[in-house]
């Protein structure tokens, strides 16, 4: 309710965004807004353009058309590092940890620009504990299990205390137990006020965490609504749920 | 927060362990040996090893830019040459006391500025990886070609005749009225090497150093953690350029001479080979490898000159194929494992390690 009372409920606004890769229109005039405090799931079939949208938000790719507003400002021309410093944080689909560095050095690399050196030790410990890796600090990251690497990456993304956290398939390759763990983590982060956008294929996970779901298809918003509405929508079932 | 205290103790312990590594010990022993060396060696050998010391700085610059920042540069030789020439030009034109010391700074900064300018256009232009190698090699060869055609008298900067392939004569370093030579010059080189080493140790352990390590592993990802990656690349290129130029200044002033061959293809590739053989990830390994290989190169040169490059090429190939960390660094790491038990060893986490049993409470 606080979000409605706030003068500017919208945190992220994508306005008629397009991204062309050679002959491929990965994103095709997409308009999407995310309010402060939301926990939004993005779903859609393979190649729908979900990851591309994250890359556009983060500045890893430049849109061919449209504007991106974050916290009221147009950020199209901001370099990625500035977006990171202004409160955007991402866990990418392809693992973005540093395999050759220790877990703790990974955390330090992620945290350095956001946490003063004096409290680095305590803060990295706290963040690692939060994702269940406090005892793995001295391990080389490549020795962690796939799930642990995903958690580490979420912990790294958290070190910036971001306003908005983008999670691209956080449960990929996880078993049911790990998925449940991740769902709890995502919910508790959201409960603390972090706005979260999650891309997921795992519908059980989506059902578990999301209030609002956006379905993408062919680079556009295909449907939007609560999880119940989406699951009741036959056209969505055709394009998305039908793919399994 | 009892756990956090454990953590603090654990990392303090790890810091101690890291400080007590074979790598650090090897550097300390190396310096200790160098300190006493001039007291037991003849004058010629002292001068010769002073030359080795000057060349180790070129290797240090490569270890920094290639091993630490992950940017393979063949331009260090160009910055080396720029340092040497600019020092020479300055020192030939000014003869007040201390002019040569200012000349060192001029040479060093000239190398750094050229490096930063090239780095700016490369990194902000999106040039990376193998293309940096090609671009920097091109710079080296262009400079060599340019300097090669400066034989005529019209190629002079004030008092300094560039002289093309005949080479430019370069004044020796003077402190006040004293020309540094023999032991004094040896120790002067040694102090500069140790100074550069200490600065780099400090920098690589700093926030900036951790950032470099990260961008070596993954540039795109590192930028999403708020690092201005391109700017950092320019910064480290500047720093490595300065160090290479310092090497060139010391080389030129030591020999009293510099010519375009110091920027040729062989000159550009040789330090890369030395550092690959020794271990690019370690400044200590790069320094020690350069000392040993320069010595070896001289021995080979007197008996079978044409074999030196063949031998080094073969060693580099062996290193790349079988000891990618480099021979000396691998040796030091092996020592670490045996002597300082566990200092560098990481426990292996079984991939099947179960998820934390308890749901993580929000702290
Ligand atoms: N760098 C690129 N160059 C060319 N085409 C690309 C590039 N990145 C993405 N694409 C194309 O854009 C389309 C959308 O890709 P994107 O990765 O955004 O899909 P996605 O919705 O994340 O799919 P998935 O569920 O499989 O992760 C695909 O057709 C893909 O092949
Ligand atoms: Mg994707």
């Amino acid at each position: 309710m606080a979000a409605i009372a706030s003068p500017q409920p919208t945190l992220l606004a994508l306005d008629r965004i397009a991204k062309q890769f050679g002959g491929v229109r990965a994103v095709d005039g997409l308009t999407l807004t995310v309010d402060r405090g939301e926990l939004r799931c993005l779903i859609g079939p393979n190649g729908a353009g979900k990851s591309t949208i994250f890359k556009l938000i983060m500045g890893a790719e430049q849109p061919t058309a449209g504007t991106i507003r974050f916290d009221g400002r147009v950020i199209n021309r901001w370099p990625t590092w500035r977006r990171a410093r202004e409160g955007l944080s991402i866990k990418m689909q392809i693992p973005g940890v540093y395999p050759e560095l220790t877990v703790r050095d990974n955390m330090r690399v992620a945290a350095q620009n956001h946490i003063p050196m004096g409290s680095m030790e305590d803060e990295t410990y706290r963040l690692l504990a939060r994702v269940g890796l406090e005892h793995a600090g001295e391990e080389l990251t490549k020795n962690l299990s796939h799930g642990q690497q995903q958690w580490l990456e979420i912990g790294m993304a958290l070190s910036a205390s971001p306003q908005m956290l983008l999670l691209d398939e956080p449960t990929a390759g996880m078993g049911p137990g790990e998925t449940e763990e991740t769902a709890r983590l995502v919910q508790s982060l959201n409960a603390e006020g972090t706005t979260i956008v999650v891309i997921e294929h795992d519908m059980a996970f989506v059902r578990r965490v999301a209030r609002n779901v956006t379905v993408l298809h062919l680079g556009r918003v295909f449907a939007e609504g609560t999880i119940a509405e989406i699951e009741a929508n036959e056209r969505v079932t055709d394009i998305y749920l039908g793919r399994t | 927060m009892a756990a956090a205290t454990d953590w603090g103790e654990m990392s303090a312990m790890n810091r101690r362990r890291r400080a007590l590594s074979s790598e650090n010990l090897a550097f300390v022993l190396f310096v200790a040996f160098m300190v006493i060396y001039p007291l037991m060696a003849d004058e010629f050998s002292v001068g010769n090893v002073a030359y080795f010391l000057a060349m180790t700085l070129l290797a240090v610059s490569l270890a920094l830019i290639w091993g630490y920042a992950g940017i393979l540069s063949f331009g260090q030789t160009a910055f080396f040459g720029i340092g040497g020439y600019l020092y020479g030009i300055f020192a030939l034109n000014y003869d007040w006391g201390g002019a040569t010391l200012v000349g060192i700074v001029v040479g060093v900064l000239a190398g750094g500025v050229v490096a930063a300018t090239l780095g700016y256009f490369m990194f902000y232009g999106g040039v990376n990886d193998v293309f940096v190698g090609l671009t920097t090699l091109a710079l080296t060869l262009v400079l060599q070609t340019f300097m090669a055609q400066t034989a005529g008298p019209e190629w002079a900067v004030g008092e300094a005749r560039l002289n093309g392939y005949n080479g430019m004569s370069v004044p020796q370093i003077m402190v006040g009225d004293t020309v540094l030579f023999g032991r004094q010059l040896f120790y002067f080189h040694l102090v500069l090497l140790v100074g550069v080493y200490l600065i780099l140790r400090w920098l690589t352990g700093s926030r900036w150093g951790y950032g470099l390590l990260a961008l070596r592993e993954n540039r795109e990802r590192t930028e999403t953690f708020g690092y201005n990656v391109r700017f950092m690349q320019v910064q480290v290129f500047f720093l490595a350029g300065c160090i290479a130029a310092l090497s060139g200044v010391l080389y030129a002033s030591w020999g009293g001479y510099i010519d375009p061959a110091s920027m040729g293809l062989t000159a550009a590739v040789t330090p890369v080979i030395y550092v690959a053989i020794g271990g690019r990830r370690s400044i200590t390994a790069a320094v020690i490898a350069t000392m040993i290989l320069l010595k070896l190169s001289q021995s080979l040169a007197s008996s079978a000159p044409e074999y030196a490059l063949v031998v080094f090429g073969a060693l580099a190939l062996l290193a790349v194929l079988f000891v990618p960390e480099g021979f000396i660094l691998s040796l030091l790491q092996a020592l670490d494992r045996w002597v300082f038990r566990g200092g560098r060893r990481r426990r292996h986490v079984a991939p099947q390690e179960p998820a934390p049993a308890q749901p993580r409470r929000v702290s």
Side-chain angles (χ1 to χ4, degrees):
Chain A
M1 300 306 105
I4 292 164
S6 149
Q8 206 180 48
T10 304
L11 182 57
L12 177 76
L14 306 181
D15 187 19
R16 282 162 292 169
I17 289 286
K19 178 66 189 178
Q20 186 102 23
F21 288 113
V24 182
R25 288 223 125 197
V27 180
D28 189 10
L30 171 132
T31 297
L32 176 75
T33 58
V34 178
D35 286 349
R36 277 169 218 281
E38 251 195 87
L39 172 46
R40 175 79 64 95
C41 278
L42 285 187
I43 64 172
N46 293 104
K50 304 180 297 294
S51 297
T52 305
I53 290 167
F54 272 15
K55 285 179 196 154
L56 293 170
I57 296 170
M58 209 60 215
E61 298 282 0
Q62 299 305 316
T64 29
T67 48
I68 305 172
R69 272 197 186 72
F70 179 68
D71 207 3
R73 289 176 290 181
V74 175
I75 62 168
N76 283 47
R77 305 181 76 89
W78 290 11
T80 297
W81 60 268
R82 178 157 174 217
R83 300 183 198 206
R85 290 185 180 203
E86 304 269 351
L88 276 164
S89 214
I90 187 169
K91 187 213 87 69
M92 305 204 256
Q93 182 170 2
I94 303 163
V97 293
Y98 303 96
E100 301 296 330
L101 305 186
T102 64
V103 168
R104 207 155 56 96
D105 284 351
N106 265 267
M107 202 49 117
R108 179 171 164 180
V109 163
Q112 275 193 139
N113 289 318
H114 313 286
I115 291 171
M117 286 311 266
S119 50
M120 185 64 76
E121 304 254 306
D122 284 352
E123 278 300 302
T124 47
Y125 180 86
R126 192 183 64 77
L127 285 161
L128 285 178
R130 179 115 206 218
V131 293
L133 290 172
E134 67 272 35
H135 300 299
E138 297 305 311
E139 303 298 344
L140 283 183
T141 301
K142 63 180 173 191
N143 294 342
L144 297 184
S145 75
H146 187 73
Q148 288 174 319
Q149 292 192 19
Q150 301 262 49
W151 283 328
L152 173 59
E153 201 174 344
I154 295 174
M156 288 162 77
L158 281 180
S159 66
S161 310
Q163 289 195 66
M164 174 171 266
L165 182 60
L166 307 170
L167 300 173
D168 196 344
E169 304 197 10
T171 71
M174 286 185 178
E178 290 176 322
T179 301
E180 173 59 22
E181 208 65 62
T182 309
R184 274 191 207 133
L185 177 64
V186 166
Q187 283 183 316
S188 76
L189 289 171
N190 182 242
E192 287 162 49
T194 310
T195 309
I196 300 179
V197 184
V198 195
I199 294 173
E200 255 306 337
H201 280 299
D202 180 345
M203 284 310 289
F205 179 89
V206 173
R207 232 171 267 133
R208 168 93 164 69
V209 302
R211 290 187 295 270
N212 303 320
V213 178
T214 300
V215 185
L216 295 180
H217 186 44
L218 301 174
R220 278 186 226 140
V221 175
F222 185 81
E224 217 161 24
T226 64
I227 180 70
E229 285 164 359
I230 294 299
E231 289 198 303
N233 186 333
E234 277 171 28
R235 288 167 60 236
V236 173
T237 321
D238 286 347
I239 64 134
Y240 182 72
L241 301 176
R243 82 190 176 92
T244 49
Chain B
M1 293 300 287
T5 316
D6 293 349
W7 179 260
E9 278 166 14
M10 206 167 99
S11 57
M13 199 173 74
N14 274 302
R15 266 201 300 277
R16 270 197 300 280
R17 268 197 205 154
R18 275 180 210 158
L20 194 69
S21 71
S22 310
E23 232 179 299
N24 290 355
L25 205 62
F27 193 81
V28 170
L29 287 176
F30 165 74
V31 173
F33 179 66
M34 282 299 122
V35 168
I36 55 172
Y37 181 78
L39 309 176
M40 39 188 219
D42 61 85
E43 203 170 323
F44 173 81
S45 303
V46 170
N48 194 34
V49 175
Y51 154 69
F52 292 176
L53 287 173
M55 297 308 286
T56 59
L57 281 165
L58 186 57
V60 168
S61 91
L62 254 172
L64 171 67
I65 196 72
W66 182 26
Y68 218 83
I71 302 165
L72 174 52
S73 161
F74 291 99
Q76 301 320 104
T77 313
F79 311 136
F80 175 95
I82 289 168
Y85 270 104
L86 264 286
Y87 164 81
I89 289 169
F90 190 91
L92 284 169
N93 280 293
Y94 300 98
D95 55 6
W96 29 273
T100 57
L101 294 180
V102 177
I104 295 176
V105 177
V106 168
V108 167
L109 287 181
V113 167
V114 172
T117 309
L118 177 71
Y120 173 81
F121 286 109
M122 283 194 307
F123 301 124
Y124 280 83
V127 174
N128 269 302
D129 305 318
V130 69
F131 298 102
V132 172
L134 292 175
T135 310
T136 49
L137 187 58
L139 171 76
T140 304
L141 299 182
V142 164
L143 267 179
Q144 182 209 14
T145 312
F146 175 79
M147 293 314 295
Q149 51 86 53
T150 59
E154 71 276 20
W155 291 101
V157 183
E159 303 288 308
R161 278 277 308 270
L162 299 181
N163 268 342
Y165 255 108
N166 296 324
M168 186 174 81
S169 68
V170 175
Q172 288 171 290
I173 294 168
M174 290 175 70
V175 177
D177 295 334
T178 328
V179 174
L180 292 187
F181 73 102
R183 285 180 191 167
Q184 285 171 331
L185 187 64
F186 181 100
Y187 286 123
F188 185 73
H189 287 189
L190 184 61
V191 165
L192 286 176
L193 174 63
V194 172
V196 167
Y197 175 87
L198 290 177
I199 290 171
L200 289 184
R201 281 304 301 245
W202 168 68
L203 274 175
T204 51
S206 73
R207 278 172 55 144
W208 187 73
Y210 270 75
L212 278 189
L213 211 61
L215 75 85
R216 176 184 81 195
E217 304 280 316
N218 188 340
R219 283 189 303 276
E220 287 78 16
R221 186 53 172 146
T222 302
E223 189 164 351
T224 67
F225 290 122
Y227 294 88
N228 190 345
V229 165
R230 293 164 199 225
F231 186 53
M232 288 173 67
Q233 286 179 303
V234 174
Q235 286 174 319
V236 69
F237 214 63
F238 168 79
L239 185 60
C242 286
I243 297 169
L246 176 61
S247 180
V249 169
L250 298 186
Y251 166 80
S253 59
W254 171 86
Y257 172 86
I258 186 160
D259 72 18
S262 64
M263 292 187 278
L265 192 56
T266 314
V269 173
T270 308
V272 175
I273 288 181
Y274 288 0
V275 171
I277 293 172
R280 65 184 190 283
R281 297 274 163 95
S282 158
I283 293 169
T284 305
V287 167
I288 293 174
T290 302
M291 300 291 290
I292 295 172
L293 293 172
L294 276 173
K295 180 73 198 146
L296 191 65
S297 148
Q298 287 183 342
S299 320
L300 286 171
S302 53
S303 53
E306 63 275 27
Y307 285 129
L309 255 155
V310 177
V311 169
F312 292 161
L315 276 176
L317 198 64
L318 281 179
V320 169
L321 289 177
F322 303 110
V323 203
E325 293 287 303
F327 290 107
I328 293 182
L329 180 57
S330 296
L331 192 71
L332 292 173
Q333 286 173 341
L335 274 177
D336 259 352
R337 283 194 291 274
W338 294 327
V339 182
F340 308 109
R341 222 157 256 285
R344 298 245 152 181
R345 195 168 35 194
R346 316 282 182 201
R347 261 181 309 120
H348 185 83
V349 186
Q352 263 72 46
E353 185 157 304
Q358 297 302 313
R360 296 287 137 197
R361 291 293 314 182
V362 182
S363 42

